[in-house]
């Protein structure tokens, strides 16, 4: 059986309780940091939220063969002890003990022994028996007496656990503050964007809101997952999707100022004034690559423009022509959308048009590194 199918068909552990909003949000934030890290490391990936574990990193968004499982847990103060990591709570009905943190880590290995690449416990605070300065530390590399205690705890829940399999288990010290993760994450995001597309002008706050909200949405989805395609669509962020965000940044950067083409428009003065305002708003909104409704309308607009390639129509008549073809679709796809917004969306696609049905592609090499 393919790992993709095995992931979906294997029953998932039941959640032991509700996660507080701040901690739930922290999981999404750390997942985004993992996305930035993975983008440079892997040719392809999918970061799945709340599926078999808090976060799962797959080495492919289409045919994965390996996975890294992450439990992301937070503490207000102090540090983690072996007692904390091995503590087991009773089930709601009191008839059984639930897995401990290290038990949950090992459970993923027991389900996917051939596909598990690494099992990690991630936290904002250090572990008592691990060097506090270590970012990633294998539990097997602790002091021998500490690892012996760790393995003994693990064997209480999983007698089949061995030193060899325990070497897959790691402690990860997250570098995000529990109460102000967004500030550090925005810095990581800006470093990531610069490394991918060079130094260009864009709205960091708008981009951050768009992509962190996408991670939150994936975390919160509770619908049925019947296929691997469902998993990718509803629970994961992929490299292709991140490249889409980067593409949007470049498009926003390359889209001209209103004044450079507004003279070509023959609309009335009041409509033109409204279009100018909508243009400024939409240039920023277009960064929100995670908005599926907007993306569907944009795809429809680009499709219509593809049919008009080589058209002699001026910008105004071309906009009106495409508007008549997409208006009904747009107003049923995006609730409350205005005529001016749709026309601006059309103009935006014309101004950033590259090929039929496509937007400009991301230049993966920063401008100062080009030959």
């Amino acid at each position: 059986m393919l790992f993709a199918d095995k992931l979906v068909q294997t029953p998932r552990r039941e959640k032991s309780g509700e996660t507080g909003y701040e901690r739930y949000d922290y999981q999404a934030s750390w997942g985004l940091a993992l996305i930035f890290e993975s983008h440079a490391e892997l040719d392809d990936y999918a970061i799945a939220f709340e599926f078999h574990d808090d976060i799962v990193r797959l080495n492919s968004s289409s045919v994965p063969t390996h996975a890294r499982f992450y439990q992301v847990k937070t503490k207000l103060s102090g540090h983690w002890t072996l007692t904390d990591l091995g503590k087991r709570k009773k089930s709601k009905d009191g008839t059984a003990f639930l897995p401990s943190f290290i038990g949950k880590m090992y459970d993923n290995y027991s389900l996917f022994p051939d596909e598990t690449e690494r099992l990690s416990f991630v936290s904002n605070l250090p572990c008592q028996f691990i060097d506090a300065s270590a970012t990633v530390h294998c539990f097997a590399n602790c002091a021998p007496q500490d690892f012996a205690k760790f393995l003994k705890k693990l064997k209480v829940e999983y007698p089949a656990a061995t030193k060899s399999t325990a070497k897959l288990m790691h402690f990860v010290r997250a570098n995000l503050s529990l109460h102000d993760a967004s500030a550090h994450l925005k810095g990581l995001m800006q470093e990531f964007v610069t490394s991918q597309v060079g130094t260009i002008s864009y709205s960091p706050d708008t981009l951050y809101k768009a992509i962190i909200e996408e991670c939150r949405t994936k975390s919160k989805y509770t619908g049925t997952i019947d296929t691997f395609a469902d998993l990718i669509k509803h629970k994961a962020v992929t490299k292709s999707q991140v490249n889409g965000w980067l593409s949007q940044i470049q498009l926003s950067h390359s889209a001209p100022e209103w004044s450079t083409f507004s003279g070509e428009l023959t609309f009335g003065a009041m409509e033109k004034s409204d279009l100018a305002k909508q243009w400024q708003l939409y240039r920023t909104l277009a960064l929100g690559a995670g908005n599926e409704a907007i993306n569907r309308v944009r795809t429809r607009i680009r499709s219509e423009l593809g049919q008009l390639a080589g058209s002699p129509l001026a910008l105004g008549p071309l906009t009106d022509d495409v508007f008549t073809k997409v208006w009904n679709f747009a107003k049923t796809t995006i609730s409350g959308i205005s005529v001016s917004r749709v026309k601006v969306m059309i103009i935006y696609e014309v101004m950033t048009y590259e090929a039929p049905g496509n937007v400009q592609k991301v230049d993966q090499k920063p401008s100062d590194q080009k030959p």
Side-chain angles (χ1 to χ4, degrees), residues 258 260-267 279 305 311-322 343 346-351:
W258 176 258
T260 63
F261 62 84
S262 58
E264 301 177 36
L265 299 172
T266 55
F267 301 117
W279 176 259
L305 288 175
S311 170
L313 290 174
L315 182 58
L318 178 64
T319 300
D320 284 334
D321 186 10
V322 175
K343 287 187 175 181
I346 295 168
I347 294 170
Y348 184 92
E349 298 304 330
V350 172
M351 292 295 101

Side-chain angles (χ1 to χ4, degrees), residues 104-255:
K104 290 177 183 178
M105 293 169 70
Y106 192 87
D107 183 55
N108 287 318
Y109 171 79
S110 69
L111 295 174
F112 310 106
D114 297 326
E115 299 86 6
T116 298
E117 185 178 49
R118 183 179 291 184
L119 304 158
S120 296
F121 183 88
V122 183
S123 183
N124 60 311
L125 291 179
C127 183
Q128 184 184 45
F129 53 95
I130 291 176
D131 183 355
S133 65
T135 303
V136 180
H137 190 93
C138 178
F139 283 108
N141 293 334
C142 295
Q145 64 271 23
D146 291 325
F147 180 60
K149 294 176 182 177
F150 176 88
L151 186 58
K152 183 178 179 180
K153 281 271 189 184
L154 181 60
K155 279 179 169 290
V156 170
E157 295 180 65
Y158 289 90
T162 65
K163 289 183 179 181
S164 178
T165 51
K167 288 180 179 180
L168 295 172
M169 305 173 75
H170 293 70
F171 183 87
V172 178
R173 175 72 186 278
N175 57 1
L176 299 178
S177 163
L178 176 59
H179 302 295
D180 192 24
S182 62
H184 190 190
L185 199 53
K186 286 179 183 178
L188 292 177
M189 181 195 73
Q190 289 177 282
E191 291 176 7
F192 170 71
V193 170
T194 300
S195 72
Q196 295 296 311
V197 300
T199 304
I200 62 177
S201 177
Y202 68 100
S203 171
D205 285 341
T206 300
L207 176 62
Y208 174 75
K209 289 176 182 177
I211 61 180
I212 193 63
E213 188 56 35
E214 181 72 1
C215 292
R216 290 168 179 157
T217 299
K218 302 290 187 179
S219 294
K220 296 173 183 176
Y221 181 80
T222 57
T224 302
I225 302 294
D226 292 322
T227 66
F228 186 69
D230 290 339
L231 170 61
I232 295 299
K233 179 179 179 180
H234 298 297
K235 300 293 289 180
V237 173
T238 67
K239 186 162 190 173
S240 175
Q241 187 173 5
V242 175
N243 280 335
W245 296 336
L246 295 169
S247 179
Q248 297 290 10
I249 295 171
Q250 287 202 317
L251 284 175
S252 179
H253 177 67
S254 63

Side-chain angles (χ1 to χ4, degrees), residues 39-103:
H39 204 82
E41 289 183 2
L42 302 174
D43 293 333
D44 188 22
Y45 61 80
I47 307 295
F49 295 82
E50 294 290 332
F51 194 83
H52 285 296
D53 218 328
D54 294 331
I55 295 173
V56 178
R57 188 179 88 166
L58 305 175
N59 65 338
S60 171
S61 59
S62 56
V63 189
T65 56
H66 293 91
R68 291 187 178 188
F69 297 90
Y70 300 91
Q71 282 189 64
V72 184
K73 307 303 177 188
T74 59
K75 284 174 72 76
L76 293 175
S77 61
H79 49 245
W80 292 94
T81 66
L82 184 56
T83 299
D84 295 329
L85 297 176
K87 185 177 181 180
R88 302 180 67 185
K89 297 179 180 179
K90 281 192 174 182
S91 58
K92 290 182 179 180
D93 60 12
T95 60
F97 282 98
L98 298 171
S100 67
F101 290 131
I102 59 176

